[in-house]
Amino acid sequence: MGQIDNKVALITGAAGGIGLATAKLFLREGAKVFITDIDEKGIKSALAELNSPNADGMKADVSKDEDNRNSVKACVEKFGGLDIFFANAGVEGKVQPLDVLEEKDFDFLMGVNAKGVWMGIKHAFGVMPSGSSIIINSSVAGLRGTANMMAYTASKHAVVGVMKVAALEGAAKNIRVNTLNPSPVDNRMMRSLEEGFAPGAGAEAKKGFEQLVPLKRYASNEEIAELALFLGSSKSSYITGSVYPIDGGWTA
């Protein structure tokens, strides 16, 4: 018996990394899983890897309201409902000083990382039954500042605010809303950031980041997925409006 048997989960940004790891775990724990990503080829590859009649998905750009609406609609039509919404899609942007950051780049990150979360929740709210769970992937960057990461940091702080309001409004329907806030995770996004902070010396940047983590290592995608499972399951039934650092002690 799985922890989320017969539940339906929609996971954004699930072509790889945390999203795909979470899809795999949710399937093992008994859920039906609908995945989306802006990378159409990546979604097809992920579905082939999941290889399950209980998994389906589509290309979607979370920064577009219509795509959020269509994703929720397609999930409900395919699996008959929506019980867990994991707003995981996000982009890291460029590593650069705030006085060099361009408006279009700031707007792009806010559009995906913050506005995309709000629009996804907006459409999920209308179909989710009592007892449902919404999980937002924020970051330790949503809890503290990082130099040369203005847009990313602002967007990840923003979704903590989105979560708190959604938790208050969702309480009337018994829909829980929480954020998980990872420190560096060993995946594509961190490879990009390592190269951004130390062009041509990404491996050295990784060693430097690891030294900032009290546990002296990055998290795995699977470790983040385990927290998403807890927040999506009935084991967290009295938890809403909360921020969950999963950071190896980074923010201690």
Side-chain angles (χ1 to χ4, degrees), residues 14 29 32 37 56 81 92 99 107 111 118 134 137 139 147 208 237:
E29 291 295 333
K32 297 178 176 66
D37 200 285
D56 202 355
E92 68 275 14
D99 57 344
D107 289 346
W118 157 64
I134 294 172
N137 195 358
S139 168
S237 59

Side-chain angles (χ1 to χ4, degrees), residues 43-73:
I43 279 291
K44 290 178 179 178
S45 176
L47 288 172
E49 189 173 342
L50 294 173
N51 189 29
S52 170
N54 290 325
D56 202 355
M58 61 184 283
K59 176 184 178 180
D61 179 349
V62 298
S63 70
K64 297 179 179 178
D65 190 59
E66 183 178 5
D67 281 21
N68 285 283
R69 181 189 300 109
N70 290 342
S71 296
V72 170
K73 181 181 179 182

Side-chain angles (χ1 to χ4, degrees), residues 2-252:
Q3 295 185 49
I4 48 176
D5 275 342
N6 302 314
K7 299 295 185 181
V8 176
L10 170 58
I11 304 172
T12 67
I18 293 169
L20 181 55
T22 303
K24 291 177 180 178
L25 180 60
F26 280 14
L27 281 172
R28 290 199 300 270
E29 291 295 333
K32 297 178 176 66
V33 176
F34 195 91
I35 62 174
T36 71
D37 200 285
I38 196 170
D39 179 359
E40 186 172 17
K41 183 177 179 181
I43 279 291
K44 290 178 179 178
S45 176
L47 288 172
E49 189 173 342
L50 294 173
N51 189 29
S52 170
N54 290 325
D56 202 355
M58 61 184 283
K59 176 184 178 180
D61 179 349
V62 298
S63 70
K64 297 179 179 178
D65 190 59
E66 183 178 5
D67 281 21
N68 285 283
R69 181 189 300 109
N70 290 342
S71 296
V72 170
K73 181 181 179 182
C75 176
V76 172
E77 288 178 350
K78 176 65 179 182
F79 293 125
L82 177 58
D83 305 289
I84 302 168
F85 176 48
F86 184 21
N88 169 69
V91 289
E92 68 275 14
K94 302 173 185 176
V95 178
Q96 56 188 345
L98 66 87
D99 57 344
V100 175
L101 174 65
E102 295 185 15
E103 183 179 5
K104 64 180 177 61
D105 294 325
F106 186 93
D107 289 346
F108 173 66
L109 259 74
M110 292 299 290
V112 175
N113 294 353
K115 188 172 145 185
V117 169
W118 157 64
M119 289 189 294
I121 292 173
K122 177 178 74 169
H123 294 294
F125 255 38
V127 301
M128 299 182 89
S130 175
S132 295
S133 175
I134 294 172
I135 307 142
I136 302 168
N137 195 358
S138 179
S139 168
V140 290
L143 304 175
R144 50 166 292 168
T146 300
N148 300 315
M149 292 289 290
M150 170 64 79
Y152 184 78
T153 301
S155 70
K156 291 302 184 177
H157 273 72
V159 295
V160 172
V162 169
M163 175 274 289
K164 290 179 179 294
V165 174
L168 293 172
E169 295 190 23
K173 296 182 62 177
N174 193 29
I175 297 174
R176 300 180 295 105
V177 190
N178 298 283
T179 61
L180 50 84
N181 296 65
S183 64
V185 181
D186 199 9
N187 58 26
R188 181 216 62 80
M189 181 178 284
M190 279 310 301
R191 298 295 87 80
S192 170
L193 290 173
E194 289 157 6
E195 183 63 24
F197 278 105
E204 291 304 310
K206 183 175 187 289
K207 291 177 183 178
F209 281 125
E210 287 173 335
Q211 292 309 303
L212 296 174
V213 181
L215 291 184
K216 303 304 180 188
R217 66 175 179 86
Y218 284 9
S220 69
N221 294 313
E222 291 73 21
E223 286 173 313
I224 309 304
E226 289 286 356
L227 179 54
L229 174 63
F230 169 71
L231 292 173
S233 75
S234 61
K235 291 183 177 181
S236 59
S237 59
Y238 198 60
I239 298 173
T240 193
S242 295
V243 171
Y244 273 80
I246 177 166
D247 63 2
W250 183 290
T251 55

